[in-house]
């Protein structure tokens, strides 16, 4: 990367000019509940053909019956697959690869 900035990710995505070919959100989503605002803001900033790469906490057995995300004892959110897919779809993003 050419530079590193510190601040609120949503503010930065709404404030920055231009489009990005790649947005990486590594070890970020676990500190957010609803991923829809982040994914929508990222999608709006990607250039055509741009990629968004992000990590989440691994889903656990029984998560499918719970709401979109769970606050864990370790202070991090775990997101359910259905929530992630719905937020991606709402943002107009498609899954190109998924790795557990």
């Amino acid at each position: 990367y050419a530079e590193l900035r510190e601040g609120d990710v949503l503010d930065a995505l709404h404030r920055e000019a231009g489009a990005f070919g790649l947005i990486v959100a590594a070890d970020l989503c676990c500190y957010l509940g609803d991923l829809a605002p982040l994914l929508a803001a990222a999608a709006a900033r990607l250039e055509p053909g741009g990629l968004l790469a992000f990590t989440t906490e691994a889903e656990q057995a029984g998560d499918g019956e719970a709401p979109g995300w769970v606050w864990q004892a370790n202070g991090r959110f775990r997101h359910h697959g259905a929530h992630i897919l719905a937020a991606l779809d709402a943002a107009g993003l498609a899954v190109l690869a998924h790795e557990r």
Side-chain angles (χ1 to χ4, degrees):
Y1 50 84
E3 61 184 270
L4 178 64
R5 296 184 186 180
E6 182 179 346
D8 182 273
V9 65
L10 291 177
D11 289 344
L13 287 169
H14 291 298
R15 183 180 58 243
E16 295 294 321
F20 299 101
L22 173 65
I23 296 175
V24 177
D27 201 39
L28 168 72
C29 296
C30 59
Y31 298 105
L32 304 172
D34 185 5
L35 295 181
L38 171 67
L39 298 179
R45 299 310 313 274
L46 287 171
E47 62 188 31
L51 299 173
L52 169 64
F54 62 97
T55 60
T56 62
E57 297 279 315
E59 208 172 9
Q60 302 295 313
D63 277 351
E65 300 173 10
W69 57 89
V70 173
W71 178 255
Q72 303 177 101
N74 65 3
R76 295 162 65 100
F77 286 98
R78 185 175 68 241
H79 298 88
H80 307 271
H83 168 71
I84 296 168
L85 291 174
L88 286 166
D89 186 57
L93 297 169
V95 177
L96 297 179
H98 171 263
E99 226 178 276
R100 185 171 173 100

